[in-house]
Amino acid sequence: MGRSTTEEIWEYCQDAREWIIPYKLINAGLFIVGCILIVVVIGMFIHAKLCGTMKSRNKLYLPGLFLFFSCVSYMCCMATTRLTLCNYDIEHVYRVAANFATQSYVLNYFVLIALLFGRLVTIFEDSAMKMTRRGIFSFWAFYILTICSGAFGAWLYGSTNSVPPRITRIVVMFSLLLMLLLIAVLVYAFCYKLLVVYRQNALENNQTNARLRKAITKTSVLAMISLSLSTFSFTAIIVQTFVKSVHLNFFFAVTGCIDSASNGVCVFLTYSHFD
């Protein structure tokens, strides 16, 4: 049997004795700033909807709003875990917040992937380059498989000491690898559609192609930024699974904050109101 989660946290706190206070404050401060940023985004997003200035058909309005609130939930929970880390008088608060933070992060990721794919389908749905039913079905089938794996990994990661840490690490790593593969599939879809649009525009330069080129270019750039940061964050999680380090834990928290904030901002900018 491996060591319990409590023992690992205790060892971390002993190793981080001289770093724990500044790292806790910096991490918590970053998450609070990120939370405020996404709250501002939510306000602008709702205002655009209420004022009728959002040009899109708004099929993805509610999913977008859900993503923003999941970002806020994750950042609030992470700020709480940073502030309560190594404070054994309120260790139960740390555990609850860490569990919710893990679930919110996984939820944030899956909503992000669904939104970006939804944007890709929506852009081309009224054109001759719309995605095939087989392609859409294949993506959603793989998406559901990844959801099941990620949910199980998140449950194990936030569970009690009854699960051996070694098994938890293996399942979490497998889930993260599936998530990275899903990101790769989505990146390929964006790159492929972007290439098709530019080839079509070279052959037939008209107003419709110009509109598609503008929409897919902006969405692809924002998607690449968001997905690249997500990939970097997932890689940091995988490394942290095998390498225990005070500084790596701090770095992981920073990348998680940047990843979540960038997800919210990039998705916010993909809506056609901001063309």
Side-chain angles (χ1 to χ4, degrees):
M1 294 290 290
R3 294 176 301 165
S4 66
T5 306
T6 301
E7 291 172 343
E8 290 186 346
I9 294 175
W10 172 254
E11 181 178 332
Y12 168 83
C13 294
Q14 291 298 313
D15 294 339
R17 189 178 304 169
E18 59 186 72
W19 296 97
I20 193 66
I21 299 299
Y23 278 0
K24 284 172 61 174
L25 294 178
I26 293 173
N27 282 155
L30 286 175
F31 280 110
I32 291 173
V33 170
C35 186
I36 294 174
L37 173 63
I38 301 301
V39 168
V40 173
V41 165
I42 292 174
M44 295 177 63
F45 193 67
I46 295 176
H47 180 265
K49 171 68 173 179
L50 295 178
C51 293
T53 55
M54 189 174 291
K55 300 176 185 176
S56 67
R57 299 179 183 180
N58 298 325
K59 290 181 178 179
L60 301 176
Y61 174 77
L62 290 179
L65 201 59
F66 186 70
L67 173 71
F68 301 145
F69 278 108
S70 71
C71 291
V72 171
S73 173
Y74 168 72
M75 292 187 182
C76 290
C77 291
M78 282 300 294
T80 303
T81 61
R82 295 296 97 182
L83 292 174
T84 58
L85 181 64
C86 299
N87 190 336
Y88 297 102
D89 294 333
I90 51 175
E91 183 182 356
H92 63 286
V93 177
Y94 168 82
R95 290 186 175 278
V96 172
N99 192 15
F100 275 106
T102 302
Q103 295 175 5
S104 297
Y105 188 75
V106 174
L107 179 64
N108 190 350
Y109 162 82
F110 284 116
V111 176
L112 170 70
I113 295 296
L115 266 172
L116 292 179
F117 186 73
R119 292 292 293 160
L120 188 62
V121 173
T122 302
I123 289 173
F124 294 99
E125 66 179 353
D126 295 327
S127 71
M129 293 176 282
K130 66 179 180 180
M131 298 191 68
T132 63
R133 292 183 178 180
R134 180 181 297 179
I136 295 174
F137 176 80
S138 299
F139 179 86
W140 288 123
F142 184 50
Y143 178 83
I144 293 172
L145 174 63
T146 311
I147 282 181
C148 295
S149 175
F152 184 59
W155 175 78
L156 283 182
Y157 190 78
S159 64
T160 60
N161 299 332
S162 58
V163 181
R166 181 178 300 178
I167 295 178
T168 300
R169 291 191 185 100
I170 293 174
V171 174
V172 169
M173 186 182 69
F174 177 75
S175 301
L176 290 173
L177 290 176
L178 276 183
M179 292 178 182
L180 290 175
L181 184 58
L182 185 62
I183 288 177
V185 171
L186 188 58
V187 168
Y188 170 79
F190 270 102
C191 291
Y192 176 77
K193 284 297 184 182
L194 187 63
L195 182 61
V196 169
V197 168
Y198 273 85
R199 283 181 176 176
Q200 185 70 20
N201 186 72
L203 297 175
E204 184 181 354
N205 190 3
N206 53 42
Q207 186 176 0
T208 301
N209 286 338
R211 180 186 63 82
L212 286 175
R213 186 181 73 250
K214 181 180 179 181
I216 189 60
T217 300
K218 185 189 77 168
T219 305
S220 295
V221 170
L222 292 170
M224 296 304 172
I225 293 173
S226 181
L227 294 175
S228 297
L229 290 172
S230 294
T231 301
F232 187 74
S233 182
F234 286 144
T235 304
I237 297 175
I238 294 174
V239 173
Q240 189 193 28
T241 303
F242 296 97
V243 181
K244 297 299 180 182
S245 169
V246 173
H247 308 295
L248 187 61
N249 183 277
F250 168 77
F251 179 70
F252 160 66
V254 172
T255 57
C257 178
I258 295 174
D259 178 32
S260 185
S262 67
N263 289 344
V265 173
C266 288
V267 168
F268 173 66
L269 294 175
T270 62
Y271 284 81
S272 59
H273 165 66
F274 305 100
D275 287 337

